[in-house]
Amino acid sequence: MSRKKMGHTFASKLLLLLPTSLACFSVFPLSLIEKKVSSMNLSSIKQLASTKPHFIFTINFSITNSFPYFSSVKMDEFVNLEATELRLGLPGTDNVCEGRERVSCSKRALQGAAENETESSTMKTETSPPRKAQIVGWPPVRSFRKNIVQTKKNESESEGGRGLYVKVSMDGAPYLRKIDLSCYKGYSELLKALEMMFNFSAGEYFEREGYNGSEFVPTYEDKDGDWMLIGDVPWEMFVCTCKRLRIMKGSEAKGFGCDV
Amino acid sequence: MDLRLPSKVLEHIFSFVDSNEDRNSVSLVCKSWFETERLTRKRVFVRNCYAVTPAAVARRFPGMRSLTLKGKPHFADYNLVPDGWGGYAWPWIEAMAEKSPSLEELRLKRMVVTDECLEKIAASFKDFKVLVLTSCEGFSTDGLAAIAVACRNLTELELRECIVEDLGGDWLSYFPETLTSLVSLDFSCLDSEVKLSDLERLVSRSPNLKSLKLNRAVSLDALGSLLRLAPQLVELGTGSFSDKLDQEAVSKLAQVFTELKELKSLSGLWDVLPEYIPLLYSVCPGLTSLNLSYATVQMPDLVELLSRCSNLQKLWVMDLIEDKGLEAVASSCKELRELRVFPSGADVDETNVAMTEQGLVSVSEACPNLESVLYFCAQFTNAALATIAKTRPNLKCFRLCVIEPFAPDHKTHQPLDEGFKAIVESCKDLQRLSVSGLLTDKAFEYIGTHGKKLRMLSIAFAGDSDLMLHHLLSGCESLNKLEIRDCPFGDTALLENAAKLETMRSLWMSSCGVSFGACKLMSEKMPKLNVEVIDEHTPETRPDSSAVEKIYIYRTLAGPRLDMPEFVWTIHKNPEIGVSHLAIE
């Protein structure tokens, strides 16, 4: 096996070099092979290896000063893997493409905004990565500190330190849920959340008739212990007086004026 | 001619060598220097608990009196390391109990410490004096009781931002009446109320008490009576500063504060009401360190307070200080060395917009000794970075966190490359750098070219390609710790520069594009490194080309660790699927 000359252009060749420290490799007869690859793909190396059983494939890394040309090489050419695309979100989630779109969208949008400064702020808010998507561990504040800040906010927001978490039960469901009423700005948001959580439909609310079009009726227990129909009182009053929620079903719900 | 100095003389000379960096150099000179040094080293620092075995440390340093250990990687602070990863203190405590029973001081950071560990410490080290736990977890107040009751010569017990299972405040009452040696007590991270009478008695029988950091449950009233018993305090962490006191009580409290002639450091101030801030005015001129990062004090009150702190060297505050407040700091606190500004909001949307890059610029321009900065802010500009670089070439630590990922210069909409270039070019002694905002590979080219003294670098949401990593690994000569998240590079730069990793303590990469195959390759070829692949969602199959979630690589003499959880993979677990099987005879 003839020794082929090693190339220097890393971009186009898979390079095999002997690091001087690994003397053990000199024991084996080696064939140095160059293979043109368009991307660093180890599975293709493995495939190649399996077809050439009498070669020993040694994949090593080079000492960086052998690559004086590195900085001039366009890495984009072959570092083109989807795996290297930037993605936002929780680790393990496969929103690679989504993330990329969002990212490149925001970058371009921001650069485009350079031409028109007055629009820049609005463009940013429209196309920047959705901030509501909580990025794990960002901003980099110690959880201890984050908890303290969060506790302080909760205390200042809730009434008398009670907190706004209330239990939600649904007739026929095996277990209860808990929701934070302070997360919602009004009844429509709350009902939508409940509908999603328990997979039901509440129907339409009418002031006189209650909920129309469904056998489910959302109710709540107030401070006095009475069961009330959700939606009757102003939202702020509801949040203050609500102790827990119950989604009634069928016969029990009849008294609330529904059309079943 | 035998030029060897007798070991007694060597010992005497080495007793003047304090810094462990120097001691490490000393040990490399020759065998006899190595021997003498190791027998005389009293304070041992192990900055990665998995880099070396406890037995090896105990063997090498039989005279060890103080041990400092660090466990989890830094990004564990931000919930990026899953629970159960490791960093257990037990093996160390068990080993030292057997081999170094004269151990007096233990300082642990980011480690899992159980009640069992604390009980073992209490039972094994007869002359135990100092226990400092920073960002640790896994123990309860019962463990503290064990330490309190058994350590007769305890001088320091400090719990800094630990997660403790709080079973009540009784633990404090376990300090025996005979314990009079206490110098420092910090239980600020605990929730439960301790019995005030126990605390008062403890404080009154501790004439050497210099540092007392209370938890939030200690009321303002209680604080008054404690301070009366300990006017010699140098460091004070108050409890809750918000009880409603009557006029008489307030003036009494003001009086007590004026008695604190030695006070240099003040922290705590939980829930401080604005009307109580003037109580602190009397101690302000003497303060060198002020931690207001848990106090929601608004800008005008902060200005009043800080304008009286002419000797302040260290200031930690929330972004409620706003640019105006930082201008006041700039004009009043000329001795300032360290500034940390934390976000008051929980996420990006809630950032205080009245604090911009201008605040930091004002402080940089006016405070000649400023060398350490941690700054959370909504946005930044290249011009501001350039000004900071020009005015503060003496910066040693610069951590800028622009809270929105990919935020460019908000005036020019350019990446912040040029700004960080100015920083690394000008600040020749910069040792720690955290970058943020919109950054291309160019920024990292600059860092690699100029950041020759950089030891620790933190990067998130930056760069375009493998070039960024290549610049860093090939350029930053002093690089010791590198942590990167959410950056778009793959295997190439990492594999090319793999040899560099043996010269570094550790490398953390998460949500980047490194493939499983590259991890296997590195594990195979670099036996002196532990390459840990961490996946919270372990996939069914793992093709070589798949990207891994998180990688933690660190150099080690201890080989693969034996306490790995399910979700951590190293090549030693499944050697048969390593690359070595490609070698066919």
Side-chain angles (χ1 to χ4, degrees):
Chain A
M1 322 291 167
S2 64
R3 228 172 237 253
K4 292 216 181 132
K5 188 167 180 247
M6 285 182 279
H8 283 285
T9 327
F10 191 74
S12 58
K13 292 167 204 199
L14 176 66
L15 188 82
L16 303 167
L17 252 189
L18 269 181
T20 50
S21 56
L22 286 174
C24 56
F25 282 87
S26 60
V27 174
F28 302 96
L30 276 174
S31 168
L32 297 173
I33 292 188
E34 288 178 337
K35 174 126 179 90
K36 234 190 166 88
V37 290
S38 56
S39 64
M40 267 290 266
N41 193 330
L42 283 161
S43 56
S44 65
I45 302 165
K46 269 212 234 171
Q47 205 193 10
L48 185 70
S50 60
T51 60
K52 307 240 193 269
H54 47 292
F55 289 124
I56 294 172
F57 280 75
T58 314
I59 302 164
N60 283 312
F61 0 86
S62 56
I63 304 156
T64 50
N65 53 24
S66 322
F67 290 83
Y69 313 109
F70 196 96
S71 52
S72 63
V73 164
K74 283 210 165 56
M75 297 295 283
D76 299 327
E77 280 173 27
F78 70 105
V79 179
N80 202 15
L81 304 170
E82 206 178 270
T84 61
E85 291 300 352
L86 181 61
R87 53 190 165 86
L88 293 176
L90 295 171
T93 54
D94 193 24
N95 55 355
V96 175
C97 297
E98 264 186 292
R100 178 162 189 248
E101 252 174 88
R102 261 187 250 136
V103 165
S104 44
C105 202
S106 73
K107 277 191 187 180
R108 268 185 251 124
L110 293 167
Q111 277 156 17
E115 278 99 63
N116 191 343
E117 275 199 306
T118 53
E119 275 179 47
S120 60
S121 53
T122 45
M123 279 189 88
K124 203 166 142 188
T125 44
E126 274 166 41
T127 53
S128 56
R131 296 186 215 148
K132 296 291 181 199
Q134 293 282 316
I135 304 169
V136 175
W138 192 264
V141 175
R142 277 198 189 166
S143 21
F144 185 85
R145 187 176 292 280
K146 256 192 181 152
N147 291 342
I148 302 287
V149 171
Q150 199 53 48
T151 320
K152 283 199 169 181
K153 271 166 39 81
N154 288 344
E155 281 181 4
S156 60
E157 279 171 13
S158 66
E159 297 269 306
R162 187 166 48 102
L164 291 166
Y165 276 93
V166 294
K167 289 187 191 171
V168 188
S169 62
M170 170 148 129
D171 294 352
Y175 54 84
L176 279 62
R177 301 296 300 270
K178 237 183 182 167
I179 56 168
D180 181 1
L181 291 179
S182 59
C183 287
Y184 308 104
K185 297 201 177 61
Y187 283 117
S188 52
E189 268 185 61
L190 172 66
L191 285 167
K192 217 179 260 161
L194 289 175
E195 283 175 334
M196 265 173 40
M197 201 181 256
F198 289 96
N199 205 10
F200 77 103
S201 177
E204 234 188 300
Y205 173 76
F206 293 100
E207 205 174 337
R208 280 182 181 269
E209 291 134 338
Y211 286 87
N212 208 344
S214 164
E215 56 168 336
F216 295 100
V217 181
T219 65
Y220 71 99
E221 186 183 18
D222 72 354
K223 274 195 181 137
D224 304 323
D226 301 320
W227 287 95
M228 318 280 290
L229 187 69
I230 287 181
D232 282 340
V233 300
W235 174 255
E236 284 74 25
M237 192 189 293
F238 165 73
V239 165
C240 295
T241 56
C242 171
K243 270 176 48 192
R244 58 186 162 132
L245 304 178
R246 178 178 162 199
I247 300 163
M248 289 188 186
K249 181 180 159 183
S251 50
E252 269 203 71
K254 278 235 169 80
F256 283 86
C258 69
D259 235 357
V260 186
Chain B
M1 190 161 108
D2 190 352
L3 292 171
R4 237 180 302 169
L5 289 169
S7 53
K8 278 268 177 280
V9 176
L10 270 184
E11 267 177 44
H12 183 71
I13 297 173
F14 291 171
S15 66
F16 294 102
V17 182
D18 268 336
S19 104
N20 272 18
E21 219 174 316
D22 290 340
R23 277 185 165 264
N24 290 341
S25 310
V26 157
S27 339
L28 293 173
V29 169
C30 65
K31 270 222 139 92
S32 80
W33 281 40
F34 177 88
E35 279 303 306
T36 314
E37 192 284 312
R38 80 177 185 88
L39 294 171
T40 57
R41 193 185 298 209
K42 299 256 180 307
R43 290 194 301 253
V44 177
F45 290 75
V46 180
R47 290 184 171 86
N48 176 1
C49 66
Y50 290 120
V52 70
T53 62
V57 174
R59 214 172 26 241
R60 181 171 167 189
F61 302 112
M64 173 169 53
R65 291 283 177 275
S66 157
L67 178 60
T68 305
L69 290 171
K70 290 190 187 178
K72 300 186 198 176
H74 174 236
F75 271 0
D77 283 351
Y78 315 131
N79 296 341
L80 289 178
V81 178
D83 279 336
W85 172 83
Y88 302 105
W90 176 256
W92 287 89
I93 294 170
E94 199 187 18
M96 297 313 150
E98 195 195 311
K99 303 193 168 85
S100 289
S102 328
L103 192 68
E104 295 175 5
E105 304 180 6
L106 198 54
R107 293 176 172 82
L108 306 177
K109 186 167 183 179
R110 277 188 221 106
M111 294 193 80
V112 177
V113 180
T114 57
D115 284 346
E116 220 187 356
C117 294
L118 296 174
E119 284 154 19
K120 186 85 168 156
I121 293 171
S124 318
F125 305 116
K126 293 301 157 209
D127 204 19
F128 199 69
K129 293 194 167 76
V130 171
L131 183 65
V132 177
L133 303 177
T134 308
S135 300
C136 292
E137 50 169 4
F139 61 100
S140 76
T141 42
D142 285 349
L144 297 177
I147 297 280
V149 82
C151 300
R152 311 261 137 165
N153 297 315
L154 196 69
T155 58
E156 291 177 36
L157 176 60
E158 293 180 23
L159 309 172
R160 301 178 187 170
E161 298 192 344
C162 294
I163 312 232
V164 184
E165 192 192 342
D166 201 323
L167 303 169
D170 292 336
W171 63 275
L172 191 82
S173 53
Y174 282 82
F175 281 113
E177 292 296 321
T178 49
L179 182 78
T180 55
S181 47
L182 211 55
V183 172
S184 168
L185 179 63
D186 178 351
F187 60 99
S188 52
C189 61
L190 299 182
D191 287 323
S192 297
E193 203 178 324
V194 299
K195 223 158 106 188
L196 181 61
S197 51
D198 286 337
L199 188 52
E200 282 174 343
R201 276 207 307 278
L202 179 62
V203 169
S204 21
R205 66 174 184 273
S206 305
N208 298 324
L209 192 68
K210 294 273 181 295
S211 171
L212 181 62
K213 295 189 181 159
L214 309 166
N215 68 353
R216 208 165 166 192
V218 175
S219 67
L220 198 51
D221 209 26
L223 177 67
S225 56
L226 287 167
L227 290 179
R228 245 166 252 126
L229 296 168
Q232 77 281 7
L233 282 180
V234 175
E235 292 180 357
L236 172 64
T238 72
S240 170
F241 225 87
S242 61
D243 315 334
K244 290 288 183 194
L245 297 176
D246 58 39
Q247 196 49 45
E248 202 199 321
V250 172
S251 51
K252 270 194 175 163
L253 196 54
Q255 180 59 32
V256 164
F257 269 97
T258 59
E259 305 290 328
L260 301 174
K261 306 279 187 217
E262 312 287 328
L263 198 69
K264 294 235 167 333
S265 162
L266 184 60
S267 59
L269 299 169
W270 311 91
D271 320 308
V272 59
L273 296 176
E275 56 260 37
Y276 292 151
I277 295 177
L279 287 172
L280 307 170
Y281 289 172
S282 54
V283 294
C284 287
L287 286 182
T288 56
S289 166
L290 182 54
N291 183 351
L292 295 167
S293 60
Y294 293 111
T296 45
V297 187
Q298 302 298 325
M299 186 270 289
D301 298 314
L302 283 171
V303 170
E304 278 298 318
L305 186 64
L306 292 167
S307 52
R308 291 172 160 79
C309 300
S310 48
N311 285 313
L312 205 59
Q313 293 175 16
K314 177 170 134 175
L315 175 62
W316 290 22
V317 74
M318 288 209 264
D319 62 11
L320 302 168
I321 193 171
E322 300 178 4
D323 287 343
K324 264 202 168 157
L326 287 173
E327 276 164 33
V329 170
S331 54
S332 313
C333 310
K334 295 295 187 196
E335 303 295 320
L336 199 67
R337 291 191 193 162
E338 179 180 326
L339 174 67
R340 293 196 190 189
V341 180
F342 296 95
S344 54
D347 55 48
V348 185
D349 290 335
E350 299 169 20
T351 321
N352 187 345
V353 291
M355 203 194 72
T356 68
E357 72 276 7
Q358 191 47 47
L360 184 56
V361 170
S362 322
V363 176
S364 303
E365 285 174 333
C367 302
N369 297 328
L370 188 69
E371 55 181 31
S372 173
V373 171
L374 168 62
Y375 201 74
F376 282 83
C377 171
Q379 56 194 16
F380 228 79
T381 62
N382 283 311
L385 283 168
T387 312
I388 294 167
K390 190 159 137 259
T391 52
R392 288 282 66 76
N394 51 322
L395 280 175
K396 291 215 170 62
C397 165
F398 187 71
R399 298 161 70 188
L400 176 66
C401 180
V402 177
I403 297 184
E404 179 163 337
F406 312 115
D409 178 325
H410 70 93
K411 292 205 172 111
T412 65
H413 305 286
Q414 294 302 305
L416 291 177
D417 298 344
E418 296 303 312
F420 280 106
K421 177 187 184 195
I423 294 277
V424 287
E425 261 185 335
S426 167
C427 307
K428 304 233 184 296
D429 289 325
L430 197 65
Q431 290 183 6
R432 185 167 177 183
L433 177 66
S434 300
V435 298
S436 55
L438 183 66
L439 295 166
T440 70
D441 287 344
K442 269 235 159 274
F444 301 98
E445 190 188 328
Y446 299 141
I447 296 173
T449 312
H450 299 286
K452 294 306 179 190
K453 295 253 175 83
L454 260 186
R455 295 177 56 81
M456 182 167 175
L457 186 51
S458 312
I459 305 169
F461 306 108
D464 308 311
S465 73
D466 273 60
L467 270 179
M468 73 175 276
L469 188 60
H470 176 73
H471 288 311
L472 295 174
L473 293 179
S474 58
C476 298
E477 289 161 6
S478 314
L479 198 60
N480 191 247
K481 272 162 60 168
L482 178 58
E483 45 187 27
I484 312 183
R485 62 166 295 180
D486 293 276
C487 292
F489 57 82
D491 301 332
T492 324
L494 186 63
L495 292 176
E496 265 222 353
N497 293 286
K500 170 81 176 171
L501 299 183
E502 277 182 8
T503 69
M504 290 166 55
R505 189 188 315 167
S506 66
L507 168 61
W508 169 278
M509 295 175 290
S510 56
S511 305
C512 302
V514 179
S515 74
F516 185 55
C519 295
K520 287 199 298 192
L521 196 54
M522 282 220 290
S523 315
E524 174 77 5
K525 299 304 172 199
M526 314 284 290
K528 292 208 208 120
L529 301 178
N530 269 358
V531 178
E532 294 190 8
V533 175
I534 302 166
D535 294 282
E536 281 182 89
H537 314 96
T538 322
E540 275 290 315
T541 56
R542 210 207 278 272
D544 283 352
S545 55
S546 62
V548 298
E549 283 174 26
K550 302 172 194 206
I551 310 168
Y552 185 47
I553 304 176
Y554 52 92
R555 67 179 168 200
T556 178
L557 298 170
R561 58 184 177 109
L562 304 169
D563 59 3
M564 279 183 278
E566 268 296 301
F567 56 80
V568 171
W569 176 95
T570 63
I571 196 167
H572 312 95
K573 275 189 170 178
N574 301 88
E576 68 276 6
I577 61 167
V579 178
S580 51
H581 83 288
L582 286 177
I584 299 157
E585 251 80 23

